[in-house]
Amino acid sequence: MSSMPARLSEIVDEFAAAPRDVVLEMLLEYADVVPPLPAGSADREGMEQVPECQTAFFLRARVTPEKTVETIFDCPPEAPTTRAFAGILAEGLAGASADEVLAVPDDLYQRMGLAQAISPLRVRGGTAILARLKRQVREQTS
């Protein structure tokens, strides 16, 4: 049984250990780490929209020939919370193997203590982002 990527584990632990009143602030810092879309993919080709998000959010997970996962996210800057979810996944899953990505728990954001800091709707959006990412990886590895 694989466990989730080490970096993502660290992020989860940092959040879980943080005082409630700084969790939101910590979360929003991740809105800045979402890498820009690769050149030439501005038309969102091959990207999947996540309708559970309140804003237009698109993602794509690509399993490379080396069996690592590349994530691509497209999310407007005016949705900082949702962008932050993407930032956490972009950083936490960087260089991760397909097995590690599939081992990420579905209740990731609850484990981070975010359910107390942000609205259930936003947590649901973040959970949907993760679920779709995992499904895309599963489809490419099965």
Side-chain angles (χ1 to χ4, degrees), residues 70-128:
E70 280 177 357
T71 55
I72 303 172
F73 298 104
D74 185 14
C75 178
E78 60 274 15
T81 313
T82 308
R83 263 188 88 80
F85 289 136
I88 286 169
L89 294 175
E91 184 171 317
L93 301 178
S97 70
D99 286 344
E100 287 176 323
V101 173
L102 295 176
V104 175
D106 295 325
D107 63 348
L108 182 72
Y109 303 112
Q110 282 84 344
R111 290 182 186 216
M112 292 169 70
L114 291 177
Q116 293 91 340
I118 56 176
S119 73
L121 206 60
R122 290 230 162 80
V123 173
R124 197 160 69 226
T127 303

Side-chain angles (χ1 to χ4, degrees), residues 22 30 42 67 106 108 129:
V22 299
Y30 280 92
K67 294 282 178 273
D106 295 325
L108 182 72
I129 293 168

Side-chain angles (χ1 to χ4, degrees), residues 61-70 98 136-138 140-141:
R62 191 178 85 84
V63 179
T64 68
E66 297 75 46
K67 294 282 178 273
T68 60
V69 176
E70 280 177 357
Q136 288 188 13
V137 169
R138 209 173 284 120
Q140 294 172 65
T141 49

